[in-house]
Every structure is written in structure tokens, then in C-alpha cells.
Amino acid sequence: MSNVTSPAGSVVVIGDALIDEIRDDSGVRELVGGAALNVAVGLRRLGVETTLIAMVGDDEAGAHIREYLSDHGVRLISSEAPHGSSRAIVQRAANGEPHYVFNDAAQQRSIRYSDEARRAIADAGLVAISCFPFDVPAEVGALVDALGDARVAVDPNPRTGMLRDRAEFVRGFERLAAGAAIVKVGADDAAILYDGDLDALRVRLRDLGAAAVLATAGADGATIDTDTGVASAPIAQLPGVVIDTVGAGDATLAAVSEGLVAQSPTGLEEWRALLARAMDVAAATCRAEGGLLRTPESLADADRGVNGS
């Protein structure tokens, strides 16, 4: 793996794709989701040519996932899904935070890398990895082999309902993080995988060799730690109320990844501008239900009745 800038402008995203079955006071409804899928669709909505490599079943849920990706212009390279498509039952707390229960397919997810997948990875300017089974050494080994010298962005995005071995997950995640162009971690990641100290985790990942670390701390904003210094940004203040925090982290990663392939920031001010834009995108995404990336501009268009979804 390499953290050297590539001139290619496309991104490959590797990770999960699933159906979110949302249950709350208003009833039960289904949305296409998954952290990696959200990042892939978000990147496409930001104008980046994107391919998603994920396990998707040949079932009704898989058909919905494929249709959704096709509608958004994301190319899918799917792995076999012997247990069908992944599904998460999502129950929301009063503050909008989700609680997930995953089906067997999600808990036993596996990704294989066809010749087509390997060609897409080799041609990409960036490969983003999110919600990957880092606690399965065979999966990590296959991923490392497929990546070769690709420029990588990593988001561990652990889910307690799918986490089988915390120590092994950390080992697998850090194997990828050590050579990454950027690693994204949040307060939840620090709490689930480490001792809860996000600043200490940021320093640890930089010491391991990550070229940049994006640390998101909810209401306390975010930072990007690079060789040129640490850029910080508060949460963005946008019109409207926060409807749903699902997808905010995915939107942040998508916006930063778009910046890496479109602009390749070097100076601290460039990193600061990239982070501020990502925070705007995350805040806009929180103004609607589901993980679909929104931008402040799309919210304004929605208010005017112009293609704002």
C-alpha cells in the first residue's frame, strides 16, 4: 500500500451493503444502507466515478441494493452471498442514535476479489475501506493482497453486533491503517476498540504510519492530523433540525475522499478547507432520514423544489 498521490480520479469502496429495517414510533420501513455503500453513493453524488465491492445476495433485498446503486450511478462488483443479503434492524433512541441488530448474512460477510475487482482497484486513485471484517485474518489477508500498492483510506466502523474478536479486529485494522493515506476514526470507534481516548488514538495511528488521521468527535467537531499540522473544525451550523445522524460519518469520509482525489491537499490551510467542507456535508446529511449524502446546496435546492433529494 502507498500514501503517494495518484493522478486517477476514480474511487473504489470496499465494505458492506445492506438493508436497514428501521423500527420506531412511526412504524417499520426499509432503506438501502451500509457504511461502505453510503460512502460510495456519497462520492458519486459529489461527482466522483465510483465502484463498490461488497457482498450482495441474489434475493429481493439484493435486487433493491442493486437498483439503488444503479440509480445513483455506482458500479457494483459483488461477491457471492451464500446467506443472502445483509440486513440490519435499526431501532432509534429518542436522540436519534441508532441501535443495530444484524442478520446472519451480515455477521458472516465475506468479500472475494475477482479479476474485475482487482483491475478496478489498480486503476483507482483511492480505495476507501469501511465496515470491513477486520477481525477475520483471512479476510484481511485477501484484502491486503488485492490492494497491492493502492492509495488507501480506512474507516474501521466496528459494529458491536458483528464484532467477534476485539483484539483481532484492532490488529487487522491497524495492519491497513499503518500504510494508509488517511484513516478516519470517531469517538465510537475509540470507545469500542480502544480505551475511549480519541486524541490518544489519533496520535497512535499517526505513529503507526498513517499519512493523515481524520478524527470526528460528534458535537465537538473534527480534526485532521497531518505532517503539516492539525486542522480542526466545529460542527457546521445549517438551517433546519437534525433528523437523523445515520450517515454523518460516512458523508464526512466521502467528502474528504473526494477532496483527496480532486485536490490532493498538502498545506494546512488546504486541509482545513477540506475538513470544513466535509463538516458542512455531514451537517446537511443529518437534515434528512437515512444515510444518503446531502450537501448544503442540495438542501437549498430542496427548499426551492429543485432536485434536492
Side-chain angles (χ1 to χ4, degrees):
M1 291 173 289
S2 170
N3 56 34
V4 176
T5 301
S6 166
S10 65
V11 177
V12 168
V13 184
I14 301 174
D16 62 333
L18 50 77
I19 297 294
D20 284 324
E21 182 181 317
I22 300 172
R23 300 180 180 182
D24 56 24
D25 292 341
S26 64
V28 178
R29 56 204 177 281
E30 295 185 354
L31 298 173
V32 174
L37 180 145
N38 288 339
V39 173
V41 171
L43 278 160
R44 192 69 193 99
R45 285 171 65 82
L46 293 172
V48 179
E49 181 181 343
T50 309
T51 297
L52 175 65
I53 299 175
M55 188 188 76
V56 178
D58 293 323
D59 48 20
E60 184 177 356
H64 289 314
I65 292 168
R66 289 182 171 86
E67 180 180 21
Y68 182 86
L69 291 170
S70 177
D71 287 347
H72 284 284
V74 174
R75 173 191 180 195
L76 172 67
I77 301 177
S78 61
S79 289
E80 289 186 15
H83 301 284
S85 295
S86 299
R87 176 177 293 266
I89 298 174
V90 186
Q91 294 183 313
R92 298 199 191 285
N95 64 358
E97 290 294 329
H99 173 69
Y100 298 91
V101 176
F102 296 94
N103 69 353
D104 287 343
Q107 294 182 44
Q108 300 181 51
R109 66 200 191 284
S110 178
I111 298 176
R112 293 294 175 263
Y113 303 93
S114 63
D115 290 343
E116 181 186 14
R118 289 173 181 269
R119 285 193 299 270
I121 290 169
D123 291 343
L126 184 73
V127 179
I129 302 154
S130 183
C131 206
F132 186 86
F134 286 113
D135 53 356
V136 182
E139 294 289 330
V140 176
L143 173 62
V144 170
D145 179 69
L147 287 173
D149 63 354
R151 186 177 181 225
V152 171
V154 185
D155 182 351
N157 224 329
R159 297 287 186 259
T160 54
M162 293 191 287
L163 186 63
R164 285 173 282 187
D165 187 325
R166 176 177 176 269
E168 190 61 54
F169 192 103
V170 168
R171 279 192 289 272
F173 160 57
E174 291 189 349
R175 183 178 176 186
L176 271 293
I182 192 164
V183 180
K184 176 195 169 293
V185 286
D188 287 349
D189 303 325
I192 294 171
L193 298 177
Y194 296 88
D195 61 2
D197 189 333
L198 183 58
D199 286 334
L201 176 56
R202 172 172 57 82
V203 172
R204 175 184 176 87
L205 293 170
R206 286 281 287 144
D207 288 345
L208 284 172
V213 177
L214 165 63
T216 59
D220 292 329
T223 61
I224 292 183
D225 189 339
T226 72
D227 288 341
T228 61
V230 180
S232 61
I235 60 170
Q237 301 299 319
L238 296 181
V241 299
V242 172
I243 302 296
D244 187 354
T245 60
V246 170
D250 304 331
T252 304
L253 179 60
V256 169
S257 296
E258 187 272 337
L260 289 181
V261 296
Q263 304 162 23
S264 296
T266 54
L268 188 58
E269 286 305 315
E270 292 176 331
W271 282 108
R272 188 173 288 117
L274 175 57
L275 180 58
R277 173 59 176 170
M279 297 301 283
D280 285 345
V281 170
T285 301
C286 291
R287 263 64 183 176
E289 184 180 46
L292 182 65
L293 181 145
R294 270 82 171 178
T295 65
E297 297 80 14
S298 72
L299 292 182
D301 287 342
D303 288 341
R304 294 193 293 268
V306 182
N307 299 326
S309 62

